[in-house]
Amino acid sequence: MTISGKGKPAEERFCELTGAIPMPTTRKAEGDALIDGIPVEVKGASSNTLNQVRAVKYITLIVYDEGDHTWYVVPAHDVVRLAAGKKRGQHTENPFESVTLSIKRLQELSLRVMSEDALLTRVRAAIEAAKLFPRLQAAMREVLAKSQRLSDESKQEVQRVLQEYNLCD
């Protein structure tokens, strides 16, 4: 299974347990599933490491630990808080774009869901809790906008330099 498809079993199980709707293909950049019309991110973990967590989305993160068959629910503001503590991101300088988190840290923060029956309730509570921090959500929107602008500006500048050297395709 490719890295991009690694979390698919967790996504499917999450939808089965909660009645969540899988995210339509045209909206996959927003998250993996919809709870009450709100995007959430679902990740499967086969080790202690969670890869490519995107705090900039400001959405609830749901993690299925395949090793001990447990679920964790991380409200968006906690995803941002965990990313903010990193010196850099995963394959990027900006930890809010993509960061690695650990299951151990989620355990320390008591984010484990004790029963699959409580999963939907915990997800809804996490979604509501994140709404208490609208300025943090706005800050993440601004981080994303700045990242997009920096990307555009960087591509333009590099294209100009490539043209100077006749290295353009």
Side-chain angles (χ1 to χ4, degrees), residues 21 23 27 30 33-39:
I21 299 168
M23 186 64 76
R27 294 180 57 194
E30 295 175 45
L34 294 167
I35 291 284
D36 304 327
I38 299 167

Side-chain angles (χ1 to χ4, degrees), residues 40-96:
V40 296
E41 190 79 18
V42 181
K43 292 203 173 280
S46 56
S47 69
N48 187 48
T49 304
L50 295 171
N51 292 311
Q52 298 181 4
V53 175
R54 302 185 196 295
V56 74
K57 289 182 178 184
Y58 201 78
I59 61 175
T60 298
L61 171 66
I62 297 103
V63 178
Y64 180 66
D65 183 345
E66 298 166 4
D68 64 4
H69 307 288
T70 56
W71 293 91
Y72 296 84
V73 175
V74 188
H77 59 280
D78 283 330
V79 175
V80 172
R81 184 168 56 99
L82 291 167
K86 301 286 188 165
K87 289 185 184 220
R88 66 181 310 270
Q90 180 182 10
H91 310 300
T92 181
E93 293 303 315
N94 188 336
F96 302 112

Side-chain angles (χ1 to χ4, degrees), residues 117-128:
D117 293 338
L119 186 58
L120 179 58
T121 301
R122 286 283 298 275
V123 171
R124 284 180 169 149
I127 290 168
E128 289 305 309

Side-chain angles (χ1 to χ4, degrees), residues 1-13 42-46 51 64 66:
M1 187 177 299
T2 64
I3 288 174
S4 62
K6 188 174 185 257
K8 198 70 174 158
E11 292 172 29
E12 290 171 354
R13 180 72 178 139
V42 181
K43 292 203 173 280
S46 56
N51 292 311
Y64 180 66
E66 298 166 4

